[in-house]
């Protein structure tokens, strides 16, 4: 067991023994929990099944709440280096007419960033804090009393197991925790493309554009000095729209004003369907589930990773305050779950117009851009001060 040395008396071992966590998944949730636990003196080993930490999904928006967590983890500067500070989001219709303009409150930061950069920054910070990251290491199950079972048959005992292994979490399923798992009617293809010299010269990386045409959407987001993140969203039933590599002539018919941009898309693309997941409980014994495995949601307000990181940090925060692990996990869930569920509800709600007829959707989007109530609901998670970051400016 890490944290003990041969020759120590049992008494000294109890006094000095580090608590040990085995973490599954090297995404936003697993890395946040790993870094935050290691900062609090835990010995931490993180298992990532892939041979490298390589997130899918190209770019990502990270709002004030998630940025505060990155700061606490010591990953902020590296994560946002070169990324534009997002200030304006335009919603446009099929004729490229602006339906609404949202300007973010400048006191609340929003960055659009290359995912790989954020994951690298989180992994570097975690390693600096002593986390052991084991690549090519797949876990398949866990027991409530703290045993992690690996694909190669080996077993690891821990005080705490954290499942951050994504929507198809094997650890969660081995504990029978799912209350509801629902595929949603839409999904997305996400890619990064190189900026043109004109885009680089324009200097304004802070305006993002969400452009609708029928039930399809193109989201244009500059994410670095040299790259733009493009998300194509469509109904899951839209067989041509979700085809990869993307069907350029078909997308150009839907978005003629984006024809030049569509021509720049490469062949390397992947389609992901959106999902909603709710658990009976976020933990079982001393196994905690967090991130998409516990609370997947559609990306309509860009808060899946934000919630994953907040819940990773808050998990470590409550474990630091409660001696008994299962009590700490209950307190964690009682305090953190309501905001995550609000985020899920509002994200699902904002996805409903995808299936509506165009005139109704247009009316909704125009109104949604003006409704103070809806803006407050939509930005509640971004404005939230995550537990464990209250002492920051
Ligand atoms: P994942 O990112 O899925 O990471 C899980 C990790 O676990 C992976 O590295 C995987 O290889 C590993 N793994 C899986 N199984 C095992 C196993 N058995 N053993 C070992 N390792 C394993 N969120 C935002 O905050 N802002 C956005 O702008 C945003 N945009 C999005 C756009 C789209 C189209 C989509 C689909 C999602 C978006 N999200 C966004 C949501 C965000 O991507 C997720 O919420 C986030 O990635 C969840 O992180 P995670 O660590 O829980 O899971």
């Amino acid at each position: 067991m890490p944290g003990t040395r041969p020759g120590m008396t049992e008494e000294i071992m109890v006094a000095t023994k580090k608590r040990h966590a085995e973490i599954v998944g090297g995404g936003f949730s697993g890395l946040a929990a790993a870094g935050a636990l290691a900062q609090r003196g835990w010995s931490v080993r993180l298992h990532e099944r892939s041979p490298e930490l390589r997130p899918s999904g190209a770019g990502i928006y990270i709002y004030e709440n998630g940025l505060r967590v990155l700061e606490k983890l010591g990953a902020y500067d590296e994560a946002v280096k070169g990324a534009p500070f997002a200030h304006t989001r335009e919603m446009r219709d099929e004729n490229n007419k602006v339906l609404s303009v949202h300007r973010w409150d400048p006191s609340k930061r929003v960055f659009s960033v290359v995912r790989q950069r954020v994951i690298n920054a989180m992994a570097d910070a975690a390693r600096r804090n002593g986390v052991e990251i084991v690549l090519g290491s797949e876990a398949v199950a866990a027991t409530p009393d703290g045993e992690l079972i690996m694909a190669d048959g080996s077993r690891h005992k821990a005080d705490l197991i954290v499942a951050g292994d994504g929507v198809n979490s094997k650890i969660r399923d081995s504990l029978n925790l799912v209350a509801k798992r629902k595929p949603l009617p839409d999904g997305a293809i996400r890619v990064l493309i190189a900026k043109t010299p004109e885009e680089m010269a324009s200097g304004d990386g802070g305006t993002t554009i969400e452009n609708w045409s029928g039930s399809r959407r193109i989201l244009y987001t500059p994410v670095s000095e040299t790259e733009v993140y493009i998300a194509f969203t469509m109904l899951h039933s839209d067989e041509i729209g979700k085809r990869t590599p993307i069907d350029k002539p078909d997308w150009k018919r839907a978005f003629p004003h984006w024809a030049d941009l569509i021509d720049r898309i490469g062949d390397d693309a992947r389609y992901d369907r959106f999902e909603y997941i709710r658990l009976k409980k976020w933990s079982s014994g001393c196994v905690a589930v967090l991130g998409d495995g516990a609370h997947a949601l559609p990306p309509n307000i860009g808060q899946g990773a934000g919630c994953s990181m907040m819940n990773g940090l808050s998990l470590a925060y409550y474990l630091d305050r409660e001696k008994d692990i299962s009590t700490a996990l209950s307190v964690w869930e009682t305090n953190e779950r309501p905001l995550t569920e609000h985020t899920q509800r509002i994200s699902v709600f904002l996805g409903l117009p995808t299936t509506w007829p165009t005139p109704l959707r247009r009316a909704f989007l125009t109104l949604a851009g003006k409704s103070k109530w809806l803006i407050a609901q939509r930005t509640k998670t971004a404005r939230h001060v995550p537990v464990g970051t209250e002492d920051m400016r």
Side-chain angles (χ1 to χ4, degrees), residues 24-30 47-50 60-61 115 137-139 164-167 170 188 190 229 272 274 290-293 297 299 302-306 308:
V24 184
F28 291 93
S29 56
H47 303 270
E48 166 55 49
R49 70 175 168 195
S50 306
I60 190 160
Y61 290 83
R115 278 185 185 238
S137 181
E138 184 182 356
D165 50 341
V167 279
K170 287 187 175 164
R190 290 164 287 170
Y229 159 46
D272 292 289
F274 303 155
L290 74 161
D292 277 4
L297 70 177
Q303 278 291 356
S308 301

Side-chain angles (χ1 to χ4, degrees), residues 10 22 56 63 119 123 157 175 236 244 273 281 299 322:
E10 203 179 320
E22 296 279 339
S56 59
Y63 293 81
I119 291 296
K157 192 85 182 104
L175 297 162
H236 183 69
T244 56
R273 186 172 186 176
K281 257 183 107 208
E322 294 282 346

Side-chain angles (χ1 to χ4, degrees), residues 1-6 8 12-20 41-44 159:
M1 163 81 72
T4 61
R5 289 195 305 274
M8 284 173 131
I12 299 171
M13 276 168 56
V14 170
T16 61
K17 199 183 98 182
K18 281 183 168 188
R19 294 199 283 181
H20 178 65
W42 287 65
S43 83
V44 181
D159 299 294

